[in-house]
Amino acid sequence: MDKPTANVGIVLVHYGEVSATLRCIDSLSAMASAPKVVVVNHDAYEYTRVLGERLAMRGLEGRVRQQGNKGFAAGCNTGIRIALALGAEYIWLLNNDTVVEPSALKELMACAEKNPKSIIGATVLDFEFPGTIQVAAGFRYHPFLSVIQALHRGRPVGEIPSLSAEQLDYVYGASLFLPASIYNRVGPFDENFFLYYEELDFCIRARRIGATLLWCRDCKVRHVGGGAVQTAAASTASYGLAAYHEARSTLLFTRKHYPAALPAVLFLRLFAKPILLLFRGKWRQLGAANKGLLSGLIDAPGRNNQCD
């Protein structure tokens, strides 16, 4: 592999199927540059050895840190701290159920060099149907409805050059690239969000210090989507892990950033959301979702970290 164009630290948070994380590591080894890779293992301790062996087998410099499951934001912060200690100038957060194209990092660096104050998202493609866009960099967020809108979801890859670069509210955490200087100024991901909303919260804080959100069209990443959450949820009696944290994080985020929207969000979550779950045949998630709402109302919504 060629000498890397910059010191990049790639952070993977592993939870769920170890085969997915190994597949992601394999794809990283095919890139032209050689970044450092930090894997934070939220799963069984035995996977620490397995993941470390795969990094060594693929010739990747890296670290594997075993950490009890404290949530996605906590895993990202742990991995980023290790990457910074290894001298990383840029951080690339990747979901463990992604596969990157060999040119992905090269394209990201080209975008970053032209836009040094940006948080950069990739063209995230559907894993099973790689000719279809899953998310173009990130999402718009509608605070009074508490719903997200994926940029250019479902559009064919061939349309990428002609698609508009619409304003983003946050970059998708499945592939989020940023200079270490931005992370140091914004502060860590808010670990009060165990799952969901951590990227949106971080990007709001980053925009307050002048960071912009950018779509790197030519960086392509294939993403399964929800694999770790689904695996974890399937192991619980209520099948409600995702529903609980989605509801909880929605209220925590609304209280933190859009308190005026709280009555509308709470009304929709109490009355409209149950109907939607019933319509989708997910009635078993109702109890977990309601518990998440209660927790989101009671728990402290967190601070704005270093941007206050």
Side-chain angles (χ1 to χ4, degrees):
M1 288 182 290
D2 298 331
K3 182 179 179 180
T5 55
N7 198 341
V8 178
I10 297 180
V11 176
L12 305 175
V13 178
H14 166 75
Y15 188 68
E17 294 185 9
V18 70
S19 59
T21 306
L22 295 176
R23 182 178 61 207
C24 181
I25 291 172
D26 290 345
S27 73
L28 297 177
S29 68
M31 293 192 303
S33 52
K36 298 177 176 66
V37 180
V38 179
V39 183
V40 180
N41 177 24
H42 280 348
D43 215 327
Y45 182 79
E46 64 186 86
Y47 291 150
T48 299
R49 175 184 56 81
V50 173
L51 295 166
E53 289 176 350
R54 183 58 64 94
L55 288 175
M57 179 190 305
R58 296 303 183 190
L60 292 168
E61 179 183 356
R63 301 285 189 277
V64 181
R65 172 67 61 85
Q66 171 68 27
Q67 177 175 290
N69 189 3
K70 301 177 181 179
F72 183 70
C76 288
N77 288 332
T78 295
I80 291 172
R81 284 193 294 269
I82 296 172
L84 294 178
L86 294 173
E89 301 169 80
Y90 293 89
I91 300 297
W92 188 9
L93 298 180
L94 277 174
N95 274 18
N96 69 313
D97 57 352
T98 57
V99 171
V100 306
E101 290 196 353
S103 63
L105 182 55
K106 177 182 176 181
E107 299 295 347
L108 284 173
M109 285 305 307
C111 288
E113 289 170 359
K114 294 178 182 178
N115 304 276
K117 296 182 179 180
S118 291
I119 299 175
I120 303 172
T123 298
V124 181
L125 306 175
D126 189 274
F127 186 83
E128 296 294 335
F129 305 98
T132 302
I133 296 174
Q134 188 180 90
V135 182
F139 298 83
R140 298 297 306 274
Y141 182 74
H142 304 281
F144 282 85
L145 298 175
S146 68
V147 297
I148 60 173
Q149 177 185 352
L151 181 62
H152 300 313
R153 181 188 296 276
R155 302 296 290 272
V157 171
E159 294 183 3
I160 288 176
S162 62
L163 294 176
S164 61
E166 298 178 16
Q167 181 179 342
L168 297 171
D169 289 320
Y170 72 100
V171 170
Y172 193 17
S175 175
L176 187 153
F177 187 88
L178 76 164
S181 58
I182 289 181
Y183 180 84
N184 288 332
R185 289 189 62 194
V186 174
F189 285 86
D190 187 343
E191 297 183 10
N192 211 30
F193 299 107
F194 184 91
L195 193 62
Y196 303 112
Y197 285 88
E198 60 282 323
E199 316 109 292
L200 177 53
D201 172 78
F202 184 87
C203 287
I204 286 177
R205 293 188 281 125
R207 291 169 66 188
R208 290 176 184 164
I209 65 166
T212 57
L213 309 181
L214 181 70
W215 175 23
C216 185
R217 298 171 186 259
D218 294 327
C219 173
K220 296 183 177 64
V221 175
R222 293 167 59 194
H223 179 229
V224 175
V229 172
Q230 291 165 9
T231 299
S235 67
T236 65
S238 66
Y239 294 85
L241 178 69
Y244 172 86
H245 285 293
E246 195 274 337
R248 177 181 182 274
S249 292
T250 296
L251 291 196
L252 289 176
F253 175 83
T254 302
R255 290 170 59 200
K256 179 176 180 178
H257 292 289
Y258 297 100
L262 184 60
V265 169
L266 192 56
F267 176 85
L268 290 172
R269 293 286 166 154
L270 286 173
F271 298 102
K273 188 74 171 184
I275 295 174
L276 181 63
L277 291 176
L278 289 170
F279 179 77
R280 293 178 175 175
K282 298 180 179 180
W283 56 270
R284 286 179 294 182
Q285 296 181 4
L286 285 174
N290 287 333
K291 289 179 181 178
L293 291 177
L294 180 61
S295 178
L297 282 174
I298 295 174
D299 294 344
R303 301 178 297 109
N304 284 338
N305 299 312
Q306 298 176 6
C307 288
D308 284 342

